[in-house]
Each structure stands twice: as structure tokens, then as C-alpha cells.
């Protein structure tokens, strides 16, 4: 398959570290050096599906295709207002897309998981164009009294359109199943047959262990992808790393010994927007004219599960 268009949309409200320190025992002096985050966009008066629809419209326009040209929509999302239908259906209705859609919940690596699914539909000859949209509002998952998690996140949506071609060079997905490191419960009521009531628990995260997992998994994934393609580090033009924490990105960069200019980053202004982070970064780089034809982009993402993924794409 081949990437032909990107789009993204962010909430209007921008929240600084100083804004957070007005109601939380935190500071810019703690947050910025540990995470690289200065500000994040947070949903206030928008709805996630509207941001997602905006990202989709921009991606379709950028790709030069219309809603009727899309044969499959894959939506990556962890939390939104609807339990059913899937967020992909809501986005379809808002944008005039009528093809089947499916939602996946693969947390932060969701964009790469979605690309893997899309590629298999192309390989099976079942589609001409696929739309991927990643829409996330992790700021509604964390407790706003838990300073160790809520300061990390920002909301947003990113989308990408793929058509037939051979610019996508494949994916490696990996899992080290351990739900205890990042998890959240939704509330569930009792039934006449099961009297257990599940109380909601906001997002819980073992930050240091997740940090270690992220760096180790990404380095292994990147090396595995290079080896599979007979490539060296110098053959990759840009590493598009999930924007979870600038120190994680730096840790990966140092271990693979690659120069800083190959690591585009927007975490300073966006925080961690889960699976939306990679396609938002991709769209911002695309619109800034960063990539030239033939550039090789390596995507790497990691998160809850614990799961990680890497993908190679030629511009
Ligand atoms: O997509 C994957 C999602 N997850 C991640 O990317 C998270 C990966 N982990 C991290 O980024 C880092 O572990 C954090 C940024 C979350 C935390 O950094 P850390 O250096 O691992 O700090 P820590 O959790 O060990 O906490 C150190 C101290 C503690 O105080 P004491 O016990 O030493 O007195 C915390 O209570 O920092 C305190 N602390 C804060 N202080 C001010 C924790 N959060 C804050 C805060 N402001 N926001």
C-alpha cells in the first residue's frame, strides 16, 4: 500500500504547565525537564468525534479522494462517549463515508496496528483505499488529582489515507502481556445473575516501569525492522516515535546512536495523545514539507498491553 494523504485536528484549549500548577501540586520545573512537555491541547467544549471528522476531512482533501472512494475505515481509540456504535461509525456518519468501519483499542501503538490491518486488506486484494483515523481523549482517563499521570496527556486526532502501491514496507508487532502496568476500569453494574458491581478506576500507571519497557521495546523493534530489511541506521531518514515523553525518545535515540535531526517531535506542544500522536506528528511534518520523495520513515510506538510496534514507510 501507499500513503497518499494526512490530516489532524486539535482541541482549541491550550493548557500550560503553569495552568496545571494552579490546582495541582506540580510545576513547570518538574514537568518540563522530565517529559519535554510545555503545553497540551485539552478537550473542553468540543467533542472527540468532531475533531476526528475534521482530521478525516483534511486527510481526504490532502489525498485528493472523496468519502465514496474509501473501502475500509479503521478507527483507533481507547475512550470516547459511545460504547456502541464504534467511533468509526460516528465519524463515517459525520463525513459521508459509507464503507464498513472497525474500531481497534491497541492504546498508543494503535496507528501502526491499524496500518498492519490495512496492509493485509491490500495484500488480499479487497480494497482500493483505506482510511485510518486515530482519535483520543486521554485527558478524560486520568484522575486530575493524580499529578504523576494527568500532566502527561493531551487530546487530538490524526488521519491518513492509503491506496494501492508499494511504499509501505511492513510492520512488526510485539506484545509482552502485562495489564498491571497501565490500566483503567470502567464502571459496570450488577445483573440478576452477577451481583458484582465494578467501580470505575481512573488510569493507573507504573511510570518508571513503562518508561523502561518503552525504551527497550522500541530499540528492539527498530533493530528487528532494520535487520529484516537489510538496512542500517543511516538508511532511515526519519524516526517517527510515539510522543510519550521526550526522555523516552532521547533514550531510544541514544541507544540506536542516531542524530537528533532524524527525530521530529511535537511533544512540547501536545503532550502524549496516545494512538493519535504518530499520525498528528506525521501530518504536521507532511504539511511543513519535511519529507521528500524516497525518504524512509520508521514509526515506533509502545504502550498499554504492554504492546509495541514498528513500521517502515517510503515517502
Ligand atoms: O504511552 C506510554 C504512556 N506512559 C508513559 O510514557 C510514562 C512513562 N514514564 C514517565 O514518563 C515517567 O516515569 C514519569 C514522567 C511519569 C515520572 O517520572 P519519574 O522520574 O519516573 O518520577 P517518579 O514517578 O519516580 O516520581 C518522582 C517524584 C515523586 O516524589 P517523591 O516520592 O520522590 O517525593 C513523585 O511524587 O516526583 C513526584 N511527582 C511529581 N512532582 C511534581 C510525580 N509527578 C509529579 C508532578 N509534579 N507532576
Amino acid at each position: 500500500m501507499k500513503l497518499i494523504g494526512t490530516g489532524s485536528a486539535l482541541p482549541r484549549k491550550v493548557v500550560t504547565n503553569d495552568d496545571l500548577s494552579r490546582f495541582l501540586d506540580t510545576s513547570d520545573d518538574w514537568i518540563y525537564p522530565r517529559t519535554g512537555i510545555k503545553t497540551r491541547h485539552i478537550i473542553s467544549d468540543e467533542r472527540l468525534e468532531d475533531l476526528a471528522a475534521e482530521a478525516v476531512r483534511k486527510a481526504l482533501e490532502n489525498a485528493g479522494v472523496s468519502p465514496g472512494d474509501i473501502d475500509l475505515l479503521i478507527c483507533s481509540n481507547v475512550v470516547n462517549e459511545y460504547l456502541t456504535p464504534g467511533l468509526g461509525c460516528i465519524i463515517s456518519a459525520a463525513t459521508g463515508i459509507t464503507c464498513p468501519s472497525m474500531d481497534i483499542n491497541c492504546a498508543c501503538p494503535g496507528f501502526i496496528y491499524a496500518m498492519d490491518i490495512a496492509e493485509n486488506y491490500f495484500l488480499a486484494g479487497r480494497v482500493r483505499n483505506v482510511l485510518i483515523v486515530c482519535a483520543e481523549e486521554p485527558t478524560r482517563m486520568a484522575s486530575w488529582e493524580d499529578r504523576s499521570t494527568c500532566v502527561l496527556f493531551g487530546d487530538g486526532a490524526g488521519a491518513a489515507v492509503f491506496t494501492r502501491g508499494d511504499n509501505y514496507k511492513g510492520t512488526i508487532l510485539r506484545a509482552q502481556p502485562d495489564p498491571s502496568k497501565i490500566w483503567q476500569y470502567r464502571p459496570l453494574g450488577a445483573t440478576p445473575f452477577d451481583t458484582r458491581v465494578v467501580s470505575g478506576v481512573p488510569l493507573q500507571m507504573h511510570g518508571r516501569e513503562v518508561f523502561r519497557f518503552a525504551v527497550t521495546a522500541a530499540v528492539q523493534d527498530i533493530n528487528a525492522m532494520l535487520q529484516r530489511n537489510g538496512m542500517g541506521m543511516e538508511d532511515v531518514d526519519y524516526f517517527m516515535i510515539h510522543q510519550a515523553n521526550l526522555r523516552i525518545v532521547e533514550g531510544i535515540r541514544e541507544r540506536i546512536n542516531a542524530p537528533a535531526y532524524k527525530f521530529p517531535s511535537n511533544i512540547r506542544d501536545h503532550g502524549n495523545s496516545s494512538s493519535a500522536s504518530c499520525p498528528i506528528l506525521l501530518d504536521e511534518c507532511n504539511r511543513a514539507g519535511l519529507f521528500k520523495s524516497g525518504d524512509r520513515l520508521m514509526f515506533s510506538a509502545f504502550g498499554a498491553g504492554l504492546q509495541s510496534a514498528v513500521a517502515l514507510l517510503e515517502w
Side-chain angles (χ1 to χ4, degrees):
M1 66 183 186
K2 176 184 177 184
L3 177 72
I4 53 168
T6 65
S8 62
L10 297 164
R12 274 182 292 276
K13 189 166 190 59
V14 175
V15 177
T16 66
N17 292 340
D18 288 341
D19 292 336
L20 297 180
S21 68
R22 288 193 192 105
F23 63 90
L24 207 58
D25 182 13
T26 191
S27 63
D28 183 59
D29 287 345
W30 192 93
I31 299 171
Y32 184 61
R34 277 180 185 76
T35 67
I37 300 166
K38 278 278 183 193
T39 63
R40 69 286 287 147
H41 293 254
I42 294 190
I43 284 185
S44 54
D45 55 358
E46 304 101 339
R47 296 185 317 165
L48 183 64
E49 53 265 40
D50 297 334
L51 294 176
E54 188 185 334
V56 164
R57 285 189 205 101
K58 288 177 176 169
L60 292 174
E61 192 188 352
N62 188 237
V65 300
S66 59
D69 296 325
I70 303 296
D71 299 319
L72 178 68
L73 185 157
I74 307 172
C75 175
S76 167
N77 168 258
V78 178
V79 164
N80 71 89
E81 288 176 16
Y82 290 86
L83 271 178
T84 192
L87 185 61
C89 293
I90 312 284
I91 297 166
S92 292
T95 54
I97 290 173
T98 53
C99 68
S101 83
M102 59 174 83
D103 278 30
I104 60 168
N105 177 347
C106 300
C108 303
F111 181 58
I112 303 179
Y113 275 71
M115 289 197 288
D116 191 56
I117 296 169
E119 190 197 18
N120 280 290
Y121 271 84
F122 279 106
L123 290 173
R126 294 177 61 186
V127 288
R128 291 162 305 153
N129 300 297
V130 174
L131 175 82
I132 294 174
V133 53
C134 303
E136 304 279 11
E137 46 187 344
T139 65
R140 289 177 123 176
M141 299 168 65
S143 160
W144 283 89
E145 292 173 355
D146 178 1
R147 64 181 183 174
S148 68
T149 54
C150 70
V151 303
L152 303 173
F153 295 109
D155 305 321
V161 181
F162 294 86
T163 194
R164 289 179 179 163
D166 64 356
N167 294 40
Y168 190 77
K169 303 298 180 190
T171 319
I172 298 173
L173 308 179
R174 284 195 312 123
Q176 298 176 33
D178 182 353
S180 73
K181 297 296 184 285
I182 311 179
W183 63 276
Q184 175 170 7
Y185 282 158
R186 71 161 64 102
L188 279 182
T191 75
F193 314 102
D194 185 345
T195 53
R196 288 169 298 179
V197 174
V198 179
S199 307
V201 176
L203 187 72
Q204 306 294 308
M205 185 171 63
H206 295 272
R208 293 213 160 181
E209 290 166 67
V210 174
F211 193 110
R212 270 195 296 275
F213 161 75
V215 175
T216 312
V219 171
Q220 282 176 4
D221 291 349
I222 290 169
N223 282 330
M225 182 60 99
L226 289 174
Q227 201 176 358
R228 191 168 91 180
N229 288 280
M231 291 165 58
M233 208 59 63
E234 61 286 355
D235 298 319
V236 177
D237 295 284
Y238 294 103
F239 292 91
M240 308 293 285
I241 311 287
H242 166 46
Q243 302 288 292
N245 180 326
L246 192 61
R247 279 169 53 222
I248 293 178
V249 177
E250 277 296 299
I252 296 165
R253 187 182 76 72
E254 283 165 12
R255 280 168 183 76
I256 63 175
N257 197 22
Y261 76 87
K262 290 193 175 187
F263 289 73
S265 176
N266 61 13
I267 191 165
R268 188 180 193 281
D269 304 321
H270 294 338
N272 176 351
S273 57
S274 189
S275 74
S277 111
C278 279
I280 291 173
L281 182 65
L282 177 66
D283 183 49
E284 290 182 352
C285 292
N286 178 18
R287 284 168 197 268
L290 183 67
F291 309 129
K292 59 182 190 314
S293 180
D295 276 352
R296 286 161 163 172
L297 278 52
M298 178 97 76
F299 290 87
S300 169
F302 32 77
L306 299 165
Q307 303 207 106
S308 66
V310 64
L312 185 64
L313 185 151
E314 201 175 273
W315 195 254

